[in-house]
Amino acid sequence: MTARDLFRLGGASGILGGFLMLLDVLLHVFVQDTLEPASFAGLPHEVWHLPGVVGLPLALVGLVAVYVGQAREVGRAGLWGFGLLVFGMTVGAIYSSVFHGIFLPAIEELQGGLFETLVENTTAAQFYRGVVVQGLGLGLGAVLFGLATIRARMFGAAPGWLFIAAALLAAANQVFPPGQLISRGLFAVAFVWFGLSLRRRWPLGVDA
């Protein structure tokens, strides 16, 4: 695969993935995302999470293309940010798929309201998701990659600042509950921005 092919594929994937992630955010805004199985237009709880679950892998393809396009400019900070982001997004998608598609429906069938009782205390799963996935992967990874992108000046500063803002809002979700959804929306917009940039032109300095 040539660099041109990678940038075209990454651009299309970033745009589509970003829009699917935005759709996922809108569904969470307009559908009450309780701990009980919800429905939207007659669809079960696990189905209306599909846009987010499908959008994340597509966004990852776009992220790979973005990193390749500025790899020489972002240095070690960009590499670490890229690695942490890939880890956080991959594990986050798996966690969401298992949680919403398998675990939550099964436990609610076992006993209604049981899950709410279980999550009143901090569990290993909560710690793993909150600290490892969100804190290190999506938090630190997004900040490092965002700063590196701003410094590299290959795609403009805006998507880098969007990554940083998204990471900070996600970290503040305990004191500002809407921050989590806003954060996901900012990530989605950043991926669309990256995708459009990749489709519009290849980054300077890369032999396509």
Side-chain angles (χ1 to χ4, degrees):
M1 177 182 288
T2 65
R4 174 179 297 183
D5 293 334
L6 175 62
F7 295 145
R8 285 185 178 276
L9 175 62
S13 297
I15 294 169
L16 180 57
F19 277 119
L20 285 173
M21 291 167 66
L22 280 174
L23 176 59
D24 181 68
V25 170
L26 291 175
L27 287 173
H28 279 77
V29 170
F30 293 106
V31 180
Q32 185 178 4
D33 188 12
T34 65
L35 294 176
E36 299 177 0
S39 62
F40 180 74
L43 297 176
H45 184 278
E46 55 270 24
V47 173
W48 59 264
H49 279 84
L50 282 177
V53 174
V54 174
L56 276 174
L58 290 171
L60 271 173
V61 175
L63 184 65
V64 171
V66 169
Y67 175 72
V68 171
Q70 58 181 2
R72 287 181 292 186
E73 286 75 16
V74 296
R76 290 185 179 180
L79 176 59
W80 275 102
F82 171 72
L84 288 171
L85 269 176
V86 170
F87 169 78
M89 292 174 66
T90 302
V91 175
I94 295 172
Y95 183 99
S96 181
S97 299
V98 173
F99 178 81
H100 292 292
I102 300 174
F103 181 71
L104 182 54
I107 203 170
E108 286 296 334
E109 285 184 10
L110 180 65
Q111 179 181 337
L114 177 60
F115 188 75
E116 289 91 331
T117 302
L118 293 177
V119 297
E120 286 179 356
N121 299 314
T122 301
T123 64
Q126 287 177 292
F127 176 83
Y128 180 72
R129 184 187 185 190
V131 176
V132 178
V133 176
Q134 293 183 333
L136 290 178
L138 300 180
L140 181 59
V143 170
L144 288 175
F145 195 80
L147 288 173
T149 297
I150 294 170
R151 184 181 61 182
R153 298 181 180 179
M154 300 295 285
F155 296 96
W161 285 116
L162 286 171
F163 266 33
I164 294 170
L168 295 178
L169 281 169
N173 77 93
Q174 295 297 325
V175 294
F176 181 59
Q180 187 68 27
L181 279 179
I182 298 174
S183 168
R184 289 161 64 177
L186 292 179
F187 272 123
V189 172
F191 279 115
V192 172
W193 191 301
F194 276 132
L196 290 172
S197 297
L198 286 166
R199 295 288 292 180
R200 185 166 56 247
R201 60 176 177 81
W202 334 153
L204 297 175
V206 175
D207 183 11

